[in-house]
Amino acid sequence: MPMPTMPIALGDITIHPIVEQEGAFFDVMGFFPELSKEVFDENRFWLQPDFVTATGGLNLCIQSFVIKTPHHNILVDACVGNHKPRPTRPFWNMLNSDRFEKELAAVGLTVNDIDYVMCTHLHTDHVGWNTKLENGRWVPTFPTARYIMSDRELAHWTQREKDNPSSVPWITDSVLPIVEAKRAQIVKSDFTFNERIQFIPTPGHTIDHFSVLVGKAGSDCLITGDMIHSPLQGRYPQYGMMSDYDSRQAEKTRHQVFDRFCESATVMCATHFPSPSTGRVRRWGDGYKFVPLRG
Ligand SMILES: [Zn+2]
């Protein structure tokens, strides 16, 4: 097992977390609308204090992952970003933080070094750093990068923006400017980037969400994106989260993906789990548990 747990080394590829924020932004009962107080109380003994606070706050990490290969630096997801009006989310509204760029610098990179940005889905806390404000305009943050997005995901959100722009401000300021700048590479959600990097369709949380499988069988890692938000949804794959497009499809996705990987050495990089966000998935009754990596 790797020690320390991060970065993850898979031959000549390494995967590094780039954290923007960590905290208990949401109440666990509101975040998982189908969760009962009774089931929550039964599970507090293992959820607290790492995953849930004593007062019922859900501990979440907002982060990207950088995949460094001998040929490319690839950013998977792009957090919340700076200077973005998010009036319904006070903790993300008009963020002005240098943490994201400092964490990039800590792995030896600047925004100029990113060759690709892979967008697992187009939610506000995954696309923010796609763009930055320059002379009053939103321009690509990563000046030479191509931004890879799913065709159906982009079509869905583009239509939502057309119908009611004020309901999806992050599409207006962090997605459409990438398309207008001709930096978007539109693909299917089962896209093969190369022989070591493959998209796995994981729909449900959004209409055409994908996860990113890196490495070779026996030495690989799945960057989950938002197919799961908390280990509670491993134990109970049926629990949808409040912003799901289709929670029943998301449930099916969790079963399919975790069944595939629960006997394997595959490391999960679970994007929203508290740091270090990594573990292997194993069976737990009708669900699955996450076993953290240890040195
Ligand atoms: Zn999401």
Side-chain angles (χ1 to χ4, degrees), residues 121 123 125-126 205-206 226 229 272:
H121 66 302
H123 272 162
D125 54 326
H126 294 259
H205 175 60
T206 60
D226 281 7
H229 288 77
H272 281 306

Side-chain angles (χ1 to χ4, degrees), residues 82-85 94 131-140 172-174 177 180:
N82 274 354
H83 314 301
K84 311 241 157 160
M94 302 305 283
T131 59
K132 64 173 182 179
L133 197 55
E134 196 176 81
N135 302 321
R137 293 189 56 220
W138 296 107
V139 301
T172 312
D173 62 38
S174 305
E180 280 151 26

Side-chain angles (χ1 to χ4, degrees), residues 170-239:
W170 64 93
I171 301 299
T172 312
D173 62 38
S174 305
V175 175
L176 297 183
I178 297 300
V179 177
E180 280 151 26
K182 302 201 183 326
R183 292 304 183 72
Q185 179 175 346
I186 314 299
V187 302
K188 299 288 178 196
S189 58
D190 64 353
F191 176 63
T192 300
F193 179 79
N194 64 29
E195 60 180 11
R196 310 273 298 276
I197 302 178
Q198 170 77 50
F199 292 2
I200 307 283
T202 44
H205 175 60
T206 60
I207 193 167
D208 203 23
H209 187 286
F210 63 79
S211 303
V212 182
L213 185 62
V214 184
K216 292 188 214 164
S219 173
D220 59 1
C221 173
L222 184 73
I223 302 175
T224 62
D226 281 7
M227 61 160 283
I228 186 165
H229 288 77
S230 162
L232 187 66
Q233 290 176 295
R235 178 73 186 88
Y236 303 101
Q238 67 269 34
Y239 288 150

